[in-house]
Amino acid sequence: MTMTLQTNLKSVFTAKDLDFKPAAKITKKDLNASVTKAEYAVRGAIPSRADELKEQLKKNSGSLPFNDIINANIGNPQQLDQKPLTFTRQVLSILEYTEILRADHEKLASLNLFSRDALERAERLLNDIGGSVGAYSHSQGVPGIRQTVADFITRRDGGEPATPEDIYLTTGASSAATSLLSLLCKNSQSGLLIPIPQYPLYTASASLFNAQVLPYYLDEESDWSTRSDEIEKVAQDALEKGIKPSVLVVINPGNPTGAVLSEDTIAKICLIAAKYGITIISDEVYQENVFNNVKFHSMKNVLRKLQHLYPGKFDNVQLASLHSISKGFMGECGQRGGYMEIVGFSQDIRDALFKLMSISICSVVTGQAIVDLMVKPPQPGDESYDQDRQERSIIFNEMYTRANLLYETFSKLEGIECQRPQGAMYLFPRLNLPKKALDESERLGIEPDEFYCTSLLESTGICTVPGSGFGQKQGTYHVRTTFLAPGTQWIQDWKRFHEDFFKKYRD
Amino acid sequence: MTMTLQTNLKSVFTAKDLDFKPAAKITKKDLNASVTKAEYAVRGAIPSRADELKEQLKKNSGSLPFNDIINANIGNPQQLDQKPLTFTRQVLSILEYTEILRADHEKLASLNLFSRDALERAERLLNDIGGSVGAYSHSQGVPGIRQTVADFITRRDGGEPATPEDIYLTTGASSAATSLLSLLCKNSQSGLLIPIPQYPLYTASASLFNAQVLPYYLDEESDWSTRSDEIEKVAQDALEKGIKPSVLVVINPGNPTGAVLSEDTIAKICLIAAKYGITIISDEVYQENVFNNVKFHSMKNVLRKLQHLYPGKFDNVQLASLHSISKGFMGECGQRGGYMEIVGFSQDIRDALFKLMSISICSVVTGQAIVDLMVKPPQPGDESYDQDRQERSIIFNEMYTRANLLYETFSKLEGIECQRPQGAMYLFPRLNLPKKALDESERLGIEPDEFYCTSLLESTGICTVPGSGFGQKQGTYHVRTTFLAPGTQWIQDWKRFHEDFFKKYRD
């Protein structure tokens, strides 16, 4: 059959048709420079090298000084130790296959697979969704799920009301952030105030949308705190240079720093937004990952309080808050879901945002359902409640224990300084590298922290991301590691590597 | 508690701090004009109005001349009549809740819920995925699933080999297209050859990425065929104006036209790409939606044949082919999955594409799994085979029957001309509107086809999209309708509306 068709094609062209010189292929210089210059280290050179090593281990398991790659480069809980919450997965399983709802009740119950509240939640969600998770939803997300989110925010913020009209269900927080930035970055004179260090999605997006990055530096000496005077100074400097500070990105709890903002700091950020008309994007995806005595305060809640306290002063503030199913107790990264709440935007901005969202039609409907489960977990009295609470407690304790172990290990080592973990899933210790190590990295033509991380990977299989991928003060070097990898062996391996590294390069 | 916190906030600011004039809120003119000028009619004004009417019906069911909204505006099969394939949903259900694999085998079997091959496929996929659909995957997609896709393409294209390295698993075809276009649209001198009429994602993306739309018109008189001489002329004209024709978009089977390209036409398109160095994006999401005697030919297969037939002439052609789980027999729109196969791109372009994909980390993992199920359905001998085949046959027959009924209805009406359905999910009939209707639409300040579609919606609840949303030759008017809505009553309603409309506006 193939031969016959080839013969058919032979008669399509005349010799004259084929008398042309094939054009050159495109090269990098033919591409959109905004894209080619964007950088994203979390899946950059070192993680790529880790993938190669992983392949090598598969083919020849004894060929490297370690047996496994430890992916400490990315907050991907279920790749590592974190188990999905059972209630979540029961509901999703039913949503995907609604025949379960029609199965013989007694037989199904005898299997002990699905709890009564999971069956009920699935029925409610199916009704809200319109019968099938395989249909496109409203571009802003399923209305019933947006209502659940609004109820959650209202509860979380001590009664400050939220409304489903302000909620957008998104394919994770990344897609929410890029949609917002694509809209709010008017041109190359638009400035994005971005904390340094930061999650590199923000600098990458600034590059994609041709905006100016206006870095404001977090204060490492005081646990990576955010200083509003620093932010205001950066905004003023930008204005003097003819750059409009359009958007202020806040990551709370911080990534990669783990720092959690105080209410006072958030209030001061709102003041800057009110004074200069800067739209705030508050990335709050780690709001469940907060340790011990630290309390998470949402930007929205503080803003509302200020609006009550000082009528007329803060009503102009425009805020988008982001949340995600990828972190916290869900850790459902691969299912891609999240929400954004917008506050203070005028109708024409809302219309433009809705149109933009509608071009990609809707976010994953199962991801939307997980948002519902995230913000409305089983309640006391529900069949799943005890198991769910226990699972959450295991997740929390394991993460907390490992964070502290890693912190304490770093604290005892020379040439490494680490802030005490407050939140998120990361530590971002500073490397005080000896001159010999700096010289060696210069000789290799790479950044000193990249040199450290590469050496760590090649010696131990531990994959981290150098601080340069997140931004850092000139002349300082860091490494970001998650504290998600199971066990403690890798922490011991790291310790040994670090000691050897310093032995080798000590001045 | 709220009161205490508010009191705390009271001490944050001095009177001097608060002595500022709140800045103005941003307005539309502060937004990225590329976004605000983008248009996307499939979820535009008429579908928005339909949403309002749906709400009104919910609140007051007798208040309108119809009882339901018929969403014929968007190819959203599972919103309407199409049932998800049982095998697909069984596998997904297990992937979401892997306890099912560990359940008592006999009890589970007695429930008759999960077929043996669904359990096996889920185990294989879980192994490929790495244990949980809740973990981020490789940014290009799960390697094992990419292998399944490559095997499918190789089979589909009569043995022409495909390789997993060329496959990217994506969050549907829309996200693949926008990623590609954001990379390939270098600047405002980049031209996108786009068929008119077209699925408006392409013109919207051209706007988002500041590229020039270079429209090439499909030939309505010959069943909306694609004329390569027209394409070449558009490319030449662009070059003369200093615009580089960078990308040629082909939609096959066509949306909204339903036209299926012949092998000859595809070959001629490849020739243009080879001659001018234009990258082809071949949107093939409707490749399973082909009726009767028409055969789908993939761009990739024809290109490979030409490369064999004419060594050296076509080796430079750069092609990205798109497929999706949203259409065809799956119809899993809300689950957001698809793949793209790239051919002929040099390594630096591939690297740039990979980096861009990695910024959004990965596509939905369950969507990736559905791609696997789409391209590798149950085979003869598998427990699910018979049921699966039967379900597919129902989907096909219902769509085919309704397409023909709609076509025949239009054929008998005055003032409406329709091409015989060949593929996709749409009819795109032409409206030959009487002058009185044109005058009335002018008086209302809307396009004549928008006037027709609005009137249709307000009278019958049938929601369609005016041809102006897809582009059409000046002075011609069309309407796009899906043929997915169940039953035949709505077709009768439309007929009656159309007759009344012509009675009212006949010259």
Side-chain angles (χ1 to χ4, degrees), chain B residues 93-132:
Chain B
S93 182
I94 303 163
L95 291 179
E96 286 289 8
Y97 188 40
T98 54
E99 284 303 310
I100 293 169
L101 292 170
R102 287 181 282 276
D104 182 286
H105 278 40
E106 263 178 50
K107 281 187 193 168
L108 189 66
S110 78
L111 269 171
N112 249 336
L113 273 177
F114 298 98
S115 67
R116 177 176 305 277
D117 51 334
L119 292 159
E120 285 165 1
R121 180 69 73 93
E123 285 206 82
R124 195 220 96 207
L125 281 167
L126 274 173
N127 187 45
D128 284 350
I129 287 165
S132 174

Side-chain angles (χ1 to χ4, degrees), chain A residues 20 25 78 132 313 336 362, chain B residues 20 78 132 313 336 362:
Chain A
F20 69 92
K25 285 195 182 197
Q78 292 189 25
S132 174
K313 281 292 180 191
R336 316 315 313 266
C362 72
Chain B
F20 68 92
Q78 292 188 26
S132 174
K313 282 293 180 191
R336 314 317 313 265
C362 71

Side-chain angles (χ1 to χ4, degrees), chain A residues 371-406:
Chain A
V371 171
D372 192 277
L373 303 169
M374 171 175 75
V375 300
K376 195 181 176 184
Q379 297 302 305
D382 293 346
E383 189 183 325
S384 298
Y385 179 70
D386 288 338
Q387 185 184 355
D388 190 67
R389 213 176 49 158
Q390 196 185 1
E391 289 174 352
R392 286 165 186 264
S393 139
I394 291 170
I395 291 168
F396 184 87
N397 289 333
E398 293 205 341
M399 224 183 299
Y400 179 68
T401 308
R402 213 147 40 217
N404 279 323
L405 178 63
L406 201 55

Side-chain angles (χ1 to χ4, degrees), chain A residues 219-484:
Chain A
D219 187 26
E220 182 164 12
E221 280 62 41
S222 64
D223 289 342
W224 294 111
S225 66
T226 298
R227 293 179 47 183
S228 58
D229 52 347
E230 157 90 3
I231 297 176
E232 184 159 12
K233 194 180 161 302
V234 173
Q236 284 170 341
D237 288 354
L239 284 168
E240 274 168 30
K241 289 185 199 136
I243 294 164
K244 182 177 159 39
S246 304
V247 177
L248 167 54
V249 174
V250 176
I251 313 178
N252 179 35
N255 177 359
T257 67
V260 179
L261 295 185
S262 70
E263 243 192 332
D264 287 14
T265 302
I266 297 175
K268 288 174 186 165
I269 289 170
C270 289
L271 185 79
I272 295 169
K275 212 160 150 181
Y276 296 91
I278 306 174
T279 303
I280 302 173
I281 295 182
S282 189
D283 176 339
E284 301 176 345
V285 302
Y286 296 100
Q287 60 186 274
E288 289 182 351
N289 296 97
V290 171
F291 301 125
N292 251 0
N293 300 315
V294 181
K295 184 171 159 34
F296 165 76
H297 300 277
S298 77
M299 183 72 68
K300 155 96 182 298
N301 195 20
V302 176
L303 173 62
R304 287 294 192 228
K305 287 179 187 173
L306 291 172
Q307 288 174 340
H308 296 315
L309 272 176
Y310 305 109
K313 281 292 180 191
F314 291 87
D315 295 343
N316 64 332
V317 175
Q318 294 146 113
L319 162 66
S321 306
L322 313 184
H323 198 4
S324 164
I325 61 170
S326 298
K327 313 300 173 186
F329 294 105
M330 310 303 276
E332 297 280 8
C333 298
Q335 309 237 29
R336 316 315 313 266
Y339 75 78
M340 126 173 112
E341 182 187 21
I342 60 167
V343 168
F345 287 91
S346 63
Q347 191 57 45
D348 56 349
I349 311 289
R350 299 170 71 108
D351 290 346
L353 184 61
F354 181 75
K355 187 188 62 184
L356 183 63
M357 307 294 279
S358 75
I359 293 176
S360 51
I361 311 190
C362 72
S363 65
V364 197
V365 175
T366 44
Q368 297 184 32
I370 302 177
V371 171
D372 192 277
L373 303 169
M374 171 175 75
V375 300
K376 195 181 176 184
Q379 297 302 305
D382 293 346
E383 189 183 325
S384 298
Y385 179 70
D386 288 338
Q387 185 184 355
D388 190 67
R389 213 176 49 158
Q390 196 185 1
E391 289 174 352
R392 286 165 186 264
S393 139
I394 291 170
I395 291 168
F396 184 87
N397 289 333
E398 293 205 341
M399 224 183 299
Y400 179 68
T401 308
R402 213 147 40 217
N404 279 323
L405 178 63
L406 201 55
Y407 165 72
E408 278 156 24
T409 305
F410 289 146
S411 305
K412 288 180 199 135
L413 292 173
E414 82 172 294
I416 195 160
E417 279 176 80
C418 191
Q419 304 306 314
R420 187 175 284 277
Q422 296 183 348
M425 303 179 160
Y426 314 102
L427 291 182
F428 195 63
R430 176 166 174 170
L431 302 167
N432 297 317
L433 297 174
K435 185 165 178 308
K436 220 187 265 178
L438 302 184
D439 291 347
E440 179 63 11
S441 61
E442 197 178 343
R443 198 185 64 77
L444 294 167
I446 57 178
E447 290 294 316
D449 47 4
E450 203 181 336
F451 172 53
Y452 179 90
C453 293
T454 303
S455 309
L456 176 65
L457 173 64
E458 300 283 350
S459 308
T460 64
I462 301 169
C463 179
T464 56
V465 187
S468 44
F470 305 91
Q472 52 199 353
K473 267 193 188 147
Q474 185 119 36
T476 70
Y477 304 107
H478 298 78
V479 51
R480 188 188 80 163
T481 178
T482 72
F483 38 77
L484 297 168

Side-chain angles (χ1 to χ4, degrees), chain B residues 214-465:
Chain B
L214 305 173
Y216 65 91
Y217 285 87
L218 304 178
D219 187 26
E220 183 166 11
E221 279 64 39
S222 63
D223 288 342
W224 293 110
S225 66
T226 298
R227 293 180 47 182
S228 58
D229 52 346
E230 157 90 4
I231 297 177
E232 186 160 10
K233 194 178 163 303
V234 173
Q236 285 170 340
D237 287 354
L239 284 167
E240 273 168 32
K241 287 184 202 136
I243 295 164
K244 183 177 158 40
S246 304
V247 177
L248 166 56
V249 174
V250 176
I251 312 177
N252 177 35
N255 178 357
T257 66
V260 179
L261 294 185
S262 70
E263 244 192 331
D264 287 12
T265 302
I266 298 175
K268 287 175 186 166
I269 289 169
C270 289
L271 185 80
I272 295 169
K275 210 159 152 183
Y276 296 90
I278 306 175
T279 302
I280 303 173
I281 296 182
S282 189
D283 176 339
E284 301 176 346
V285 302
Y286 295 101
Q287 58 186 275
E288 289 182 353
N289 297 97
V290 172
F291 301 125
N292 252 358
N293 300 317
V294 180
K295 181 169 160 35
F296 165 76
H297 300 277
S298 77
M299 183 72 68
K300 156 94 182 299
N301 195 20
V302 176
L303 173 62
R304 287 294 192 227
K305 287 181 190 174
L306 291 172
Q307 289 174 340
H308 296 315
L309 272 177
Y310 306 108
K313 282 293 180 191
F314 290 88
D315 295 343
N316 65 332
V317 174
Q318 295 146 111
L319 162 67
S321 306
L322 314 183
H323 197 5
S324 163
I325 61 171
S326 298
K327 313 300 173 185
F329 294 105
M330 311 303 277
E332 295 282 8
C333 298
Q335 309 237 29
R336 314 317 313 265
Y339 75 78
M340 128 174 110
E341 183 188 21
I342 60 168
V343 167
F345 287 92
S346 63
Q347 191 56 45
D348 57 347
I349 311 288
R350 299 170 72 108
D351 291 346
L353 185 61
F354 180 75
K355 187 188 65 185
L356 183 64
M357 305 295 279
S358 76
I359 294 176
S360 52
I361 310 188
C362 71
S363 64
V364 198
V365 176
T366 44
Q368 296 184 33
I370 302 177
V371 171
D372 193 276
L373 302 170
M374 171 176 74
V375 300
K376 195 182 177 182
Q379 297 302 307
D382 293 347
E383 189 182 325
S384 298
Y385 179 71
D386 288 339
Q387 184 183 357
D388 190 67
R389 214 175 49 158
Q390 196 185 1
E391 289 174 352
R392 285 165 188 265
S393 138
I394 291 169
I395 291 169
F396 184 88
N397 289 334
E398 293 205 339
M399 224 183 299
Y400 179 69
T401 309
R402 212 147 41 216
N404 279 322
L405 177 63
L406 201 54
Y407 165 73
E408 277 155 24
T409 306
F410 289 147
S411 305
K412 288 181 199 133
L413 292 173
E414 81 172 294
I416 195 160
E417 280 175 78
C418 190
Q419 304 305 315
R420 187 175 284 277
Q422 296 183 347
M425 303 179 160
Y426 313 103
L427 291 182
F428 194 63
R430 178 166 174 170
L431 302 167
N432 297 315
L433 298 173
K435 185 163 179 305
K436 220 186 263 179
L438 302 183
D439 292 347
E440 179 63 10
S441 62
E442 198 179 342
R443 199 186 63 78
L444 294 166
I446 57 177
E447 290 294 315
D449 47 5
E450 203 181 335
F451 172 53
Y452 179 89
C453 293
T454 304
S455 307
L456 176 65
L457 172 65
E458 301 284 348
S459 308
T460 64
I462 301 169
C463 179
T464 56
V465 187

